Amino acid sequence: MTASRTARERVRAELTREITDIARRQLATEGAGGLSLRAVAREMGMVSSAIYRYFPSRDDLLTTLIIDGYNAVGEAVEQADAGCARDDFSGRYMAVCHAVRDWAVAHPHEYALLYGSPVPGYQAPEDTIVARSRDVTVLGRIVSDAWRAGAVPAPAEEEVPAELADEAASVKGLMPGVPTGVVWRAVSAWTAMYGWISFEVFGQFNNTIEHRRAAFAHTMRLAAATVGLSSA
């Protein structure tokens, strides 16, 4: 009984993986809005009713693709950070920035699903939150470590407008003990990173910037300096 159940679970896992692999290819040709369970079933040679045993709706398949994508980015970032010396704060920051960019350039259609235009009619469930936070958790840890080590200068009291003092409450949870001014610097740096990557992935730098990796590195060093992470 146990062996049979294990075999069924293995088959189910393999078919689920095949479905998601085909769906990722569909993202490249049809976009997220054109994702179709019936089309996936046709490519697999499966009757359309059978695929609903694995994914009851298109939104369930989209959610799986989104979680897989966020986990892939998160894993890349975690590995990049783990490969750096703990007290090399700017080096850690640069490593994780490059990890996000490298993944995005290698998987542009998955990146578009995560950070592009919202898919009409789709609302991401709470199931995506844990995976979504993996990359920013690492970035927050770097800033927190640098702050505790005294490697980040204290912000001026008037640095953050009064009406924004509590706006970054959710982000501050990723950087416990870090002053609000430094939190806002980090938010600015992170949005600069994702803004740059989005411009590159979505073709906004075409015929404009040729040496993109070097330009990205320079821009990220500027962003790190905004946070207070000075290069060695």
Side-chain angles (χ1 to χ4, degrees):
M1 182 72 71
T2 301
S4 175
R5 186 163 55 247
T6 301
R8 286 198 299 271
E9 290 171 352
R10 194 160 54 241
V11 169
R12 182 177 182 85
E14 290 173 357
L15 284 172
T16 299
R17 184 165 53 251
E18 184 177 355
I19 290 168
T20 54
D21 286 345
I22 292 172
R24 288 187 188 93
R25 293 199 294 271
Q26 253 194 45
L27 290 178
T29 58
E30 306 298 330
L35 189 65
S36 165
L37 284 171
R38 290 179 180 274
V40 173
R42 281 196 302 271
E43 185 168 339
M44 294 182 67
M46 176 188 289
V47 296
S48 58
S49 58
I51 201 169
Y52 292 102
R53 300 173 192 161
Y54 299 88
F55 294 97
S57 70
R58 180 210 66 163
D59 285 3
D60 291 302
L61 179 54
L62 272 174
T63 295
T64 295
L65 295 176
I66 289 169
I67 291 173
D68 286 352
Y70 281 139
N71 278 327
V73 176
E75 183 176 354
V77 165
E78 289 162 1
Q79 290 180 353
D81 183 44
C84 299
R86 297 297 83 193
D87 60 352
D88 181 9
F89 307 114
S90 63
R92 290 169 63 187
Y93 186 86
M94 293 298 295
V96 301
C97 287
H98 279 292
V100 177
R101 177 187 175 272
D102 290 347
W103 185 87
V105 170
H107 305 87
H109 304 293
E110 292 174 64
Y111 179 87
L113 175 62
L114 304 181
Y115 299 104
S117 300
V119 180
Y122 174 77
Q123 181 68 42
E126 290 187 0
D127 295 358
T128 61
I129 293 175
V130 172
R132 171 64 187 90
S133 65
R134 285 178 68 174
D135 58 341
V136 294
T137 296
V138 174
L139 288 163
R141 186 181 305 129
I142 294 169
V143 175
S144 295
D145 290 349
W147 172 256
R148 285 194 298 270
V152 173
E157 290 185 6
E158 69 277 8
E159 183 171 318
V160 178
E163 64 270 24
L164 299 181
D166 296 324
E167 283 289 307
S170 59
V171 183
K172 288 190 74 171
L174 299 171
M175 295 170 277
V178 175
T180 302
V182 176
V183 171
W184 274 108
R185 293 182 201 166
V187 171
S188 175
W190 298 346
T191 54
M193 177 184 70
Y194 281 107
W196 172 283
I197 293 171
S198 293
F199 263 48
E200 181 172 2
V201 170
F202 301 144
Q204 300 300 317
F205 289 143
N206 291 351
N207 303 315
T208 304
I209 297 176
E210 180 179 355
H211 302 291
R212 294 180 188 169
R213 185 174 181 83
F216 176 78
H218 177 65
T219 304
M220 292 306 99
R221 281 192 292 270
L222 296 175
T226 298
V227 179
L229 302 172
S230 59
S231 300

